[in-house]
Amino acid sequence: MISYEEALARVLRNARPLSSVRVRLEDALGYYLAENVRAREPVPLFDQSAMDGFGVRASDVAQVRPDSPARLRVAGMVRAGDDPRRPVRSGTAVRIFTGAKIPPGVQAVVVQESCEMAGGEVLVRESVPAGKNIRRKGEEIRRGARVLSAGARITPPVIGLLATLGYSSFLVHRKPRVTLVVTGNELVALGRPLRPGRIRDSNSHALAAALKDTAIEEVSVRRIRDDEASLRQALMAALQDSDLVLTSGGVSVGEYDLVKDAAVSAGVRTVFWKVAIKPGMPNYFGVWERGCGRGRSAGKGTSAGRVLLFGLPGNPVSALVSYHQFVRPALLKMSGQRTPGRFVFPAALEKDVGKRAGRAEFVRGVVRMNNGALNVVPTDQQGSHTLSGLASANCLIHLASEATLVEHGQQVPVELLSWERHG
Ligand code: AMP
Ligand code: MG
């Protein structure tokens, strides 16, 4: 059995950024850049006023004190969008607004709160140095400077920046196509009648929902009975059409736990099976090289390359926690993310937690601010099958493999659940 850290390292080593595609700015949110972006123009594009006020020559206001204002003739007005050409001479000022182009001769802008209009003149009661309240051409971004690097996530401000620079399309990494293969003879699709001994399939819905929060192009779901031949068939088809295949159930050591054997017989190379974690010990991870495996040539729209297969345990909490800890980082890396975006921070444990040494635990918890400090408390239901315990959690408390009793008051690393990052 390998450690959580080793398993995650192997996953990330095998996950590669997908090929690049051009997207339009309006479709780009949530993608990761596949190219460096340079400024074709400076930002700001021209010297402009940072305030509403009066554009002046610095020497005209150098001697000003509140009780002895400068009296300047107002020679004109410049609004945002105007292109002022007439130079402003000594003894005159120009009414100017935020974002307006600085006319020739203007060396500073005095805010309107320090000025008083008097007929065609303005009384300036503040002495400002040259450059005051002027945004200089190129002061934020020089022409030719690298503004964004490949791997940057396209967020709303990044969209704004790209629009500022005039980019209406650019290269991003393609998002992964994912197939979800759900195994289990006991499973009944939602809306179908339950018979004794059967349960509803919840993992396909929960995992499909979790996938939505990551960068995903397309998710398809298949339900398969616990039969090795059907499972192998389903896996072979899924591998052909996907960048990543997720299975649920059938990876422990029971007689009907067939995923690992079916994967191997479909041509998947096993990278690990079983990780020293709770929940989610019987995790399977393997890699299939498209073109090397058995089966047809590359599927529709998929290129040659590597397909990752994750065999997640069927217990609903194990499945989602394993998804969160292994699959999501892989999907993000495939989508072009350069540095894993985990959000782990310390919080004080509110009660003692006992555990067995030898495996890392991801305890479902609620983290909250309490008198200016972060506290975390485990939820009541901690079973691998008790979804209610995960549903009421907002974080996973990481307890180290070697730890046994972790006492209240201790600082523990806490990771926000990705689907809790809102508001
Ligand atoms: P398995 O990993 O196949 O041995 O399943 C472990 C436990 O998870 C069993 O109690 C299964 O009935 C349950 N289980 C497996 N798959 C699902 C699913 N898709 N939805 C809900 N429960 C499941
Ligand atoms: Mg099963």
Side-chain angles (χ1 to χ4, degrees), residues 76-415:
M77 178 167 79
V78 196
R79 296 159 304 180
D82 290 348
D83 183 15
R85 302 283 174 90
R86 188 139 41 92
V88 173
R89 295 181 206 292
S90 186
T92 68
V94 63
R95 179 81 172 114
I96 196 163
F97 298 96
T98 305
K101 192 174 174 194
I102 298 291
V106 166
Q107 295 168 323
V109 173
V110 184
V111 295
Q112 64 190 29
E113 289 78 358
S114 301
C115 301
E116 191 185 319
M117 283 295 284
E121 293 178 329
V122 59
L123 299 179
V124 179
R125 297 186 191 282
E126 188 191 352
S127 173
V128 291
K132 182 75 177 177
N133 295 323
I134 294 179
R135 304 171 184 156
R136 290 289 175 203
K137 174 178 177 177
E139 76 176 13
E140 181 187 344
I141 301 170
R142 282 177 297 107
R143 181 202 298 273
R146 184 195 287 192
V147 183
L148 295 162
S149 299
R153 198 163 92 87
I154 315 265
T155 59
V158 167
I159 298 247
L161 200 48
L162 289 161
T164 301
L165 295 169
Y167 286 94
S168 54
S169 76
F170 36 83
L171 295 178
V172 297
H173 290 280
R174 188 167 70 70
K175 292 182 179 184
R177 292 156 190 268
V178 178
T179 304
L180 198 52
V181 177
V182 178
T183 74
N185 287 351
E186 73 277 32
L187 300 178
V188 175
L190 201 58
R192 295 283 180 83
L194 281 170
R195 274 182 277 144
R198 302 291 194 97
I199 60 166
R200 291 192 186 91
D201 161 25
S202 65
N203 285 350
S204 64
H205 300 283
L207 289 169
L211 283 162
K212 278 189 189 157
D213 123 307
T214 321
I216 291 301
E217 178 164 305
E218 193 182 296
V219 181
S220 40
V221 182
R222 294 204 55 188
R223 287 192 189 82
I224 299 295
R225 294 183 60 76
D226 292 317
D227 161 72
E228 192 176 340
S230 336
L231 189 52
R232 174 158 34 87
Q233 285 264 302
L235 288 184
M236 284 169 72
L239 290 163
Q240 289 289 349
D241 291 340
S242 318
D243 301 302
L244 187 145
V245 177
L246 269 183
T247 67
S248 142
V251 280
S252 36
V253 287
E255 209 168 315
Y256 294 98
D257 292 327
L258 307 165
V259 165
K260 179 173 158 286
D261 291 346
V264 169
S265 72
V268 171
R269 176 171 60 81
T270 300
V271 178
F272 61 73
W273 180 44
K274 296 185 179 172
V275 185
I277 53 171
K278 184 187 171 196
M281 182 277 283
N283 256 279
Y284 175 81
F285 174 57
V287 168
W288 184 76
E289 306 292 345
R290 198 190 309 284
C292 302
R294 299 181 205 170
R296 296 162 288 138
S297 59
K300 168 175 65 78
T302 46
S303 49
R306 172 168 294 196
V307 183
L308 306 188
L309 184 138
F310 289 86
L312 305 181
N315 265 320
V317 176
S318 308
L320 277 175
V321 171
S322 307
Y323 169 84
H324 196 272
Q325 302 309 78
F326 297 121
V327 184
R328 189 169 184 275
L331 288 168
L332 292 174
K333 187 165 178 202
M334 294 166 86
S335 306
Q337 187 192 61
R338 298 282 168 107
T339 43
R342 308 184 76 84
F343 191 32
V344 182
F345 51 89
L349 199 55
E350 277 184 29
K351 62 182 190 194
D352 294 356
V353 179
K355 72 178 273 295
R356 243 173 48 197
R359 62 188 185 195
E361 289 197 15
F362 303 115
V363 176
R364 280 69 77 199
V366 176
V367 62
R368 56 195 167 206
M369 278 298 260
N370 200 346
N371 289 327
L374 284 170
N375 281 17
V376 65
V377 63
T379 59
D380 285 338
Q381 299 278 348
Q382 291 290 330
S384 303
H385 57 296
T386 52
L387 262 183
S388 52
L390 183 56
S392 59
N394 64 6
C395 70
L396 297 174
I397 306 167
H398 289 214
L399 298 183
S401 176
E402 63 281 4
T404 48
L405 179 67
V406 189
E407 287 180 55
H408 79 276
Q410 243 177 279
Q411 294 284 323
V412 285
V414 157
E415 179 179 13

